[in-house]
Amino acid sequence: MSIIAVEDLKICVGGRVIIQDATFRIDEPSFVVIIGPNGAGKTTLLKTMIGLIKPVRGCIKILDRVVRAGERYPRSIRKLIGYMPQRDVINYAVPLTAREIVISGIVENLTLPRTVLPRDVDSLVNNIAGRLGIDNILHKFFDELSGGQQQKVLLARALVKDPRILILDEPLSNVDEMSRVEILEFLRDLVRRDGRTVLLVTHDVEVAMSWSDYVLLVNNGRAVLYSSKMIEDVNKFLRQYPEKDRKIVPSRSPYCA
Ligand SMILES: Nc1ncnc2c1ncn2[C@@H]1O[C@H](COP(=O)(O)OP(=O)(O)OP(=O)(O)O)[C@@H](O)[C@H]1O
Ligand SMILES: [Mg+2]
């Protein structure tokens, strides 16, 4: 049974083809780092994987539940995924506290109008907040927090229900160096110890190099999965270019079928 399989996915946004062909498969609990230049379609691909954007072709399989282009995205798949959106799309003006935002990561998986919070909601929230070092800011409005604190609150929201799959869109941006390492260690433990699968977008090639089992390169309308054995090749390729000109263009097609 695969954990995630994406096949022949084509995605259009605003009348433009953003992803022409994404095909990759992850068969065991893995730490997958997604890299690619600005505007390449990383966020678009992740939003499609959680059903926020409908693909025009192809299919997505999450733990053997399949959704094809044109079909309604099943709630049963969404329940398996914890999603952290890229921070620039959050509406800061909504007057919610950090605690309320973390709790919304549990509530979104319950069926309204029968929504009853689990009795242990406080311990779930306090536990994840403690692990991310945000227990002392849970009472504050989200809008009052620093960029890095907001990132951690959104990460806690994605993690609070302990989902099988975590899809995290730039969770490390704005986060200080010490917290970055702590978060990466925490996520790696989730993969190694608890058998979760993490997909994490970053622009930090070092993170891709040092922490991932796989690197998913998104560029030129394609998404290509490299196993960790090939990460060195990816890195060598990237380092040929000055940082500002780095373009990620996979030259081979070794997606893991
Ligand atoms: N709602 C939208 N309407 C029109 N075009 C969009 C929309 N959302 C994204 N796009 C376009 O789709 C392309 C891919 O955007 P996306 O946000 O997926 O890129 P990204 O790889 O996540 O970039 P970044 O590294 O900057 O986050 C871009 O050209 C963007 O302008
Ligand atoms: Mg993005």
Side-chain angles (χ1 to χ4, degrees):
M1 177 175 97
S2 65
I3 294 175
I4 297 171
V6 167
E7 228 179 278
D8 193 25
L9 206 61
K10 179 177 177 183
I11 310 166
C12 297
V13 179
R16 276 177 52 220
V17 179
I18 305 299
I19 298 288
Q20 182 68 248
D21 172 22
T23 301
F24 57 90
R25 201 169 108 185
I26 298 155
D27 283 337
E28 70 277 350
S30 305
F31 199 143
V32 182
V33 171
I34 302 171
I35 54 177
N38 292 132
K42 302 178 296 297
T43 297
T44 301
L45 176 64
L46 297 189
K47 283 184 177 173
T48 306
M49 289 176 67
I50 61 159
L52 287 177
I53 295 175
K54 291 188 190 318
V56 295
R57 188 186 67 214
C59 80
I60 299 165
K61 193 158 120 187
I62 306 281
L63 295 164
D64 278 359
R65 293 165 174 83
V66 180
V67 56
R68 294 188 169 76
E71 293 177 356
R72 204 171 63 84
Y73 195 93
R75 197 179 170 80
S76 61
I77 298 186
R78 201 169 291 161
K79 282 186 174 188
L80 300 167
I81 300 173
Y83 174 62
M84 174 179 172
Q86 197 169 344
R87 199 174 64 96
D88 60 9
V89 297
I90 304 298
N91 181 355
Y92 307 109
V94 175
L96 291 173
T97 64
R99 176 179 289 280
E100 286 162 342
I101 287 192
V102 178
I103 289 174
S104 73
I106 302 169
V107 174
E108 70 173 356
N109 285 281
L110 302 175
T111 309
L112 292 168
R114 285 182 289 118
T115 295
V116 178
L117 286 175
R119 227 180 281 153
D120 58 349
V121 63
D122 281 338
S123 68
L124 286 174
V125 172
N126 294 341
N127 180 37
I128 192 66
R131 296 198 65 172
L132 293 173
I134 54 169
D135 25 8
N136 56 337
I137 55 164
L138 284 177
H139 63 284
K140 294 195 175 185
F141 282 121
F142 188 72
D143 198 34
E144 290 180 272
L145 303 177
S146 74
Q149 289 171 326
Q150 289 182 340
Q151 289 287 92
K152 290 182 189 174
V153 170
L154 293 173
L155 184 59
R157 179 185 181 279
L159 289 164
V160 68
K161 64 180 192 239
D162 191 22
R164 293 280 298 275
I165 295 167
L166 282 152
I167 293 186
L168 311 173
D169 201 345
E170 302 203 25
L172 304 173
S173 60
N174 287 309
V175 172
D176 64 72
E177 188 55 32
M178 208 167 118
S179 302
R180 278 164 75 90
V181 173
E182 280 171 12
I183 289 170
L184 284 163
E185 282 172 351
F186 178 61
L187 294 174
R188 186 164 62 185
D189 278 356
L190 286 181
V191 175
R192 298 277 178 273
R193 200 190 52 211
D194 302 332
R196 307 302 181 231
T197 288
V198 174
L199 273 65
L200 176 153
V201 176
T202 181
H203 287 284
D204 186 336
V205 176
E206 291 306 319
V207 168
M209 286 289 297
S210 327
W211 295 84
S212 67
D213 300 311
Y214 294 96
V215 176
L216 185 69
L217 297 185
V218 180
N219 192 36
N220 289 340
R222 300 191 62 213
V224 181
L225 190 72
Y226 288 79
S227 79
S228 54
K229 290 193 276 301
M230 303 179 77
I231 290 174
E232 191 52 48
D233 291 350
V234 176
N235 196 43
K236 268 191 215 145
F237 180 85
L238 290 169
R239 292 200 186 295
Q240 294 169 21
Y241 295 86
E243 195 159 357
K244 69 176 179 49
D245 293 335
R246 280 180 194 168
K247 293 273 188 292
I248 301 155
V249 186
S251 55
R252 286 171 271 173
S253 177
Y255 67 80
C256 301

